[in-house]
Amino acid sequence: MPRWKKKRETLPTFNYTRRGFQLKDGTLHLAGGIVLTVVWSRGLPAAPSSVRVYQDSIGHWYASFVVPAAVEPLPETGAAIGVDWGVKETATTTSDTHDLPHAGHGRKAEKKLTRYDRMMARRKPEKGQAGSKGYREAKRLRARACKKIARQRQDAGRKWAKKVVTDHEALAVEDFRPKFLARTTMAKKAADAAIGAIGATKQALIEMARKHGRIVHLIHPAHTTMDCAQCGARAKHTPPLP
């Protein structure tokens, strides 16, 4: 059963509309006389309509601005590509040069995460008591390792998506939501491949295509591996997952 998130255990987040914030000389002025110095990752293409200031699991603060989406068209190529999500390979495409192998970032950090889990288990406080300094440190180390894995998946997905979008005008992407894998022996590897409904790889591909004005077709995954592309005939037995 899902666990309810307690309000006192959630990470802080603050939303401001136009009347609640202002940008002056690269600094962010919030309502109540709060002034923040923002380290800009890139310039804003237009005036923002709102901002969300939030804290992540490792204690870093971020400011996320909402601006109108601007399409950045790429040169026309006249090519199309189909993308199929898998377990052995994160993405198998109709082009041999654009396949995305399974990087296994989670598997590489498995020993480190297991070590931090044991540290937290040994120092776990009693119910109703505050965690010790050692417990908080172990929790922070585990959060940093998980954040690193997430960033590695996101970085690999964006680089691959940029290459695919640059070389192709139309993309047929399998709209794969592997909820059924949660109770199988492939669940761990599928999660590590980041191919879920909100997976880093699939999300990066769709966002990159829309940003550059490419055509994206989300294909329902039912019978995609059983129907013949030439004659439309359907196989009697489902072939093994790629």
Side-chain angles (χ1 to χ4, degrees), residues 23-28 36-44 48 63 65:
L23 293 174
K24 293 182 180 179
D25 300 328
T27 58
L28 178 61
L36 301 177
T37 302
V38 182
V39 180
W40 298 93
S41 60
R42 57 185 178 274
L44 296 176
F65 296 89

Side-chain angles (χ1 to χ4, degrees), residues 209-240:
R210 291 174 177 171
K211 174 183 177 181
H212 296 290
R214 300 306 199 190
I215 302 174
V216 181
H217 299 281
L218 294 177
I219 309 300
H220 195 277
H223 309 296
T224 53
T225 59
M226 299 176 64
D227 293 341
C228 178
Q230 301 296 330
C231 62
R234 182 170 298 173
K236 294 182 180 180
H237 303 285
T238 303

Side-chain angles (χ1 to χ4, degrees), residues 77-217:
T77 60
I81 190 174
V83 181
D84 179 76
W85 308 110
V87 177
K88 290 185 179 179
E89 289 190 354
T90 302
T92 303
T93 66
T94 54
S95 173
D96 294 336
T97 59
H98 292 82
D99 291 345
L100 179 63
H102 179 66
H105 298 298
R107 186 183 68 252
K108 295 176 183 177
E110 186 174 4
K111 292 184 179 179
K112 185 179 294 186
L113 291 175
T114 303
R115 177 190 172 195
Y116 295 150
D117 286 337
R118 291 175 178 173
M119 291 171 61
M120 292 178 60
R122 290 195 302 266
R123 304 168 184 178
K124 184 177 180 180
E126 296 293 336
K127 187 175 181 180
Q129 296 183 0
S132 63
K133 182 179 179 181
Y135 177 80
R136 295 195 301 269
E137 178 67 16
K139 187 177 181 180
R140 186 182 65 86
L141 291 174
R142 192 187 188 284
R144 287 184 58 183
C146 291
K147 178 64 71 173
K148 181 179 179 180
I149 296 172
R151 287 172 175 170
Q152 287 175 328
R153 293 171 179 169
Q154 188 180 47
D155 180 69
R158 286 179 176 176
K159 290 179 179 178
W160 172 78
K162 181 68 174 182
K163 180 181 178 182
V164 172
V165 170
T166 303
D167 298 340
H168 303 87
E169 287 188 24
L171 292 81
V173 182
E174 181 186 10
D175 192 14
F176 184 49
R177 297 180 176 91
K179 294 182 180 179
F180 71 94
L181 292 175
R183 297 183 180 180
T184 65
T185 56
M186 296 182 294
K188 193 173 184 179
K189 193 169 185 180
D192 194 13
I195 59 175
I198 56 174
T201 309
K202 177 184 172 184
Q203 183 179 0
L205 180 61
I206 296 175
E207 290 179 353
M208 192 69 67
R210 291 174 177 171
K211 174 183 177 181
H212 296 290
R214 300 306 199 190
I215 302 174
V216 181
H217 299 281

